[in-house]
Amino acid sequence: MTYDIPLTPRPFHELNRLDRLGHSGSHADGPAGGSPARVLTASMLRAHGVGAAEASEHCRPGGPWRMLLPGVFLLHPGPPTSEDRLHAALLHTLRRQTIPTQSGHGPAVRTTPHGIDAMITGPAALALRGFTSARPLPALDRIDVLVPATRRLRSAGFARVVRGGDLPEPEQIAGLPVAPVERALADTVADLDDAETVGRLLTEAVRDGHCEAQTLMRELEAARLLTAPHVADAVDRIVAEGRTVAEARLYDLVRTQGVPDPCWNVDLRLPGGPHLGGVDAYWPDEAVALSIDARTHRHIPGDEGGTEGLWDAYAQQRESLERLGITVVHLTPRALREAPELQAAVVRTALMAAEDREPAAYVLVLPR
């Protein structure tokens, strides 16, 4: 990951002009509080013709500049803004450094052929996404930056290096490369031991649509955090919250997409026979059942086949219903969030196809 702006040396008087702009500009905290041009590395300064001695002179006590991190300079007096600190942490960790834009709209970011260099993760990434359960950027004493495990870097000052094997594709927020929310949550939770704080963060992530429960559980499992005491207590809350959100989206789909009202949350049973299982929606006249496929990769200690067993139960229920002539539609929470119109079309198609099928077996529809 680089700031993809060409190195074009500029005269030193232009840096002085930028310094004056930085001094008179806004010092408000947050992603829009300042210009990326106010934070440069030693190599960037050299490209402008500013050597180490001149940079040190500007960083003297009472001078217009200051060194935020080793080799990373703040080109205006006063305390750094949150944006200054974010840019400084990234510049400290980037493999290749080029000069940020002067436009004030943030740097252009691209993935290099050599892979991802660095991205904001942890609490800072959650704060950038507006998590109310996370500490705001001005209150953070460190900025976590995720880098490949093979990079030879050390944490310094407020920039903490977090190493990872297979790095995810970053997202851009305010022009900055930021780890996906699931990864940022895992990196945050790994440093916490308060179950209540963890529960609030994970629940907010699912409840407010930042991510799906399934993808969050997979990330936590990959980080070997699901069995940690402070995380295990929150797992049931994550699963329940995910189902609640998905059900609300399904209700909205039926209400807004022209789908006939079904029988909601019912159990199906053969008369005098076995229980066939519960479904989230059922259209008796068309014999169409709908289930929200909210399966998660939840590891149960001592039950190595727990996840597979849950998947087998879904498959067995579907086979049992389809043998009776009942069409089963499975929708995932992610599909309900990202493509509700397409999922509505799937349901309508299943309902219309009932006219061309043999009548299904009679089943009892009971409240669940």
Side-chain angles (χ1 to χ4, degrees), residues 3 29-30 35 38-39 66 68-69 72 74 76 79-92 120 124 136-145 156-160 176:
Y3 293 94
D29 280 297
S35 167
R38 302 195 300 184
V39 180
R66 61 182 291 190
L68 290 182
L69 296 169
V72 182
L74 178 67
H76 71 80
T81 66
S82 293
E83 185 188 16
D84 291 334
R85 297 170 74 237
L86 289 167
H87 281 278
L90 279 171
L91 290 173
H92 173 69
I120 302 296
L137 285 170
L140 295 178
D141 56 6
R142 72 168 191 246
I143 305 294
D144 289 346
V145 185
F158 56 81
R160 191 182 77 144
L176 299 170

Side-chain angles (χ1 to χ4, degrees), residues 12 42 45 50-67 71 73 75:
F12 186 66
L45 291 173
V50 181
E54 287 179 303
S56 296
E57 176 67 16
H58 273 64
C59 291
R60 70 188 186 282
W65 296 359
R66 61 182 291 190
M67 184 181 292
F73 297 86
L75 305 190

Side-chain angles (χ1 to χ4, degrees), residues 319-341:
E319 291 174 3
S320 297
L321 294 177
E322 289 182 343
R323 280 198 299 268
L324 297 172
I326 297 173
T327 299
V328 181
V329 177
H330 276 210
L331 302 182
T332 67
R334 181 173 181 176
L336 285 168
R337 180 183 71 171
E338 296 182 355
E341 296 85 359

Side-chain angles (χ1 to χ4, degrees), residues 47-315:
H48 280 296
V50 181
E54 287 179 303
S56 296
E57 176 67 16
H58 273 64
C59 291
R60 70 188 186 282
W65 296 359
R66 61 182 291 190
M67 184 181 292
L68 290 182
L69 296 169
V72 182
F73 297 86
L74 178 67
L75 305 190
H76 71 80
T81 66
S82 293
E83 185 188 16
D84 291 334
R85 297 170 74 237
L86 289 167
H87 281 278
L90 279 171
L91 290 173
H92 173 69
T93 53
L94 287 171
R95 179 177 288 120
R96 291 169 50 211
Q97 299 164 350
T98 54
I99 295 177
T101 66
Q102 304 294 330
S103 65
H105 298 296
V109 179
R110 66 178 175 85
T111 301
T112 71
H114 306 292
I116 298 170
D117 288 334
M119 65 187 78
I120 302 296
T121 190
L126 302 183
L128 281 168
R129 286 183 167 85
F131 269 67
T132 59
S133 300
R135 297 176 65 191
L137 285 170
L140 295 178
D141 56 6
R142 72 168 191 246
I143 305 294
D144 289 346
V145 185
L146 180 62
V147 303
T150 54
R151 295 286 307 280
R152 293 185 177 181
L153 288 171
R154 291 184 179 180
S155 300
F158 56 81
R160 191 182 77 144
V161 172
V162 178
R163 303 182 189 280
D166 296 328
L167 264 61
E169 186 72 19
E171 301 168 0
Q172 288 195 51
I173 300 178
L176 299 170
V178 180
V181 66
E182 299 90 350
R183 182 56 182 266
L185 282 164
D187 289 336
T188 300
V189 167
D191 290 328
L192 297 175
D193 55 13
D194 177 22
E196 186 59 33
T197 300
V198 170
R200 286 198 301 268
L201 285 170
L202 300 183
T203 300
E204 179 179 353
V206 176
R207 182 192 64 229
D208 292 357
H210 292 286
C211 63
E212 302 296 339
Q214 297 98 319
T215 55
L216 177 54
M217 294 282 281
R218 283 195 290 269
E219 190 67 48
L220 293 173
E221 185 177 47
R224 299 181 180 180
L225 289 169
L226 279 184
T227 55
H230 63 295
V231 177
D233 292 343
V235 167
D236 289 338
R237 290 169 60 179
I238 300 171
V239 175
E241 194 67 45
R243 170 158 284 281
T244 298
V245 171
E247 288 176 348
R249 291 174 181 151
L250 179 59
Y251 296 149
D252 189 63
L253 180 150
V254 170
R255 181 177 60 85
T256 62
Q257 300 295 326
V259 176
D261 286 329
C263 298
W264 293 106
N265 295 314
V266 295
D267 280 323
L268 303 181
R269 183 184 297 274
L270 285 172
H275 177 237
L276 300 172
V279 295
D280 294 293
Y282 186 66
W283 289 264
D285 293 340
E286 294 84 2
V288 173
L290 185 149
S291 290
I292 298 173
D293 189 351
R295 295 171 289 187
T296 60
H297 290 249
R298 180 178 182 180
H299 175 71
I300 302 173
D303 180 12
E304 298 303 325
T307 300
E308 289 77 8
L310 182 59
W311 284 56
D312 288 344
Y314 273 81

